[in-house]
Amino acid sequence: MGYTVAVVGATGNVGREMLATLADRKFPVAEVIALASDAAVGKEVSFGEDEVLKVQDLGRFDFKGVDIALFASDAKVAAAHAPRAAAAGAVVIDTSAQFRMDPDVPLVVPEVNAQALGGYAKKNIVASPDGATVLLAMALKPLHDTFTVGRAVVSTYQAASDAGKDGMDELFGQTRAIYVNDPVQKSVFSKQIAFNVIPHIGPFMEDGATKDEWALNVGTKKVLDPKIKVTATCVRVPVFIGHSASVTIECAEPVTAEEARRILRKAPGVQVIDQHDNEGYITPVEVAGDDAVFVSRIREDYTVDNGLAFWCATDNLRKGAALNAVQIAELLVKEHLDA
């Protein structure tokens, strides 16, 4: 016996990845329903190798009878439709920013804080963090459990796909324009993204931080430990898929690079690639299509007591979004729902 699963935003980057992930991981589905806005209604999307789903109109859809609704939409769509899906009896797993800071909505990375999922019934909604927070929390969790991380200084390098298909198209279009000497057009990003980096993701706040930097701070606290102090600079880079980060942490307990490698190698969902040679580390190009969080360049930071520095990367469309949501659904089925 299986579950009826609706995927909202099924034609977008994350929605398509959700459908692929459900099929790849053989999630116990009785029926999968693809939903999107008016413009995409009637389009077809793939589920697994053989099944094709026709996209239905989200605005007209009745969620009664749906067990799990995976939302791969923006915050505005989630705000309008997630509560009515939840009211109809579906457990909503939302990848937008809409519910992440709601105290009655658990923010979950299954390998980090699976126990938080127990609070889903308050609103029948579970939030999945943004890709940068998933990346950081996955890398910090095993280190925090052993050495107690007190502070993290983070610079993220976030892919164009984080801004959806339009972001990827803008990167491609600008790159092509530069090669053929055409004018560079921009509409998604605040500055040229091709052959450039932009230290600005999300609207600016009063203290000079951006919304994404604030979200990385408060999201890490909610998922991992409210006592951790995080300062971040979030940078958009000309990469299609794959978020990465340079991280320096200060711990309460003495830590060595070798101990950190050993602990990270044992952590679920984490892979260590850390050789001291020209090919001995991971890059965003190499993580695309993979489910793991990769950690490289692990070394002691001698400028602070009990300091450690490292580099980490993951596919922002998979573990950073679609896979994390499907893993939440798997945990929900295993521990909380009856088929």
Side-chain angles (χ1 to χ4, degrees), residues 173-240:
Q174 288 184 1
T175 302
R176 182 184 180 281
I178 289 168
Y179 273 118
V180 300
N181 203 30
D182 281 347
V184 172
Q185 305 290 331
K186 63 181 178 65
S187 60
V188 177
F189 302 116
S190 57
K191 291 180 181 272
Q192 176 184 312
I193 183 60
F195 302 98
N196 197 18
V197 297
I198 306 172
H200 167 205
I201 304 177
F204 280 96
M205 304 176 72
E206 288 187 5
D207 64 356
T210 67
K211 192 69 176 288
D212 274 47
E213 290 158 357
W214 171 84
L216 184 59
N217 181 0
V218 297
T220 303
K221 290 175 180 290
K222 186 172 181 179
V223 169
L224 188 56
D225 187 339
K227 296 178 182 178
I228 290 180
K229 297 177 181 179
V230 178
T231 181
T233 300
C234 292
V235 183
R236 186 73 70 198
V237 294
V239 170
F240 285 106

Side-chain angles (χ1 to χ4, degrees), residues 65-90:
V66 172
D67 298 301
I68 298 170
L70 301 174
F71 272 67
S73 61
D74 61 24
K76 184 177 179 180
V77 171
H81 298 285
R84 72 179 186 88

Side-chain angles (χ1 to χ4, degrees), residues 213-277:
E213 290 158 357
W214 171 84
L216 184 59
N217 181 0
V218 297
T220 303
K221 290 175 180 290
K222 186 172 181 179
V223 169
L224 188 56
D225 187 339
K227 296 178 182 178
I228 290 180
K229 297 177 181 179
V230 178
T231 181
T233 300
C234 292
V235 183
R236 186 73 70 198
V237 294
V239 170
F240 285 106
I241 295 172
H243 283 3
S244 48
S246 172
V247 184
T248 300
I249 59 174
E250 298 177 37
C251 302
E253 303 295 330
V255 54
T256 67
E258 190 52 45
E259 285 178 303
R261 287 187 199 96
R262 177 179 57 80
I263 288 164
L264 286 163
R265 285 192 179 107
K266 295 179 180 179
V270 175
Q271 291 192 29
V272 175
I273 298 179
D274 191 19
Q275 306 295 325
H276 297 169
D277 59 49

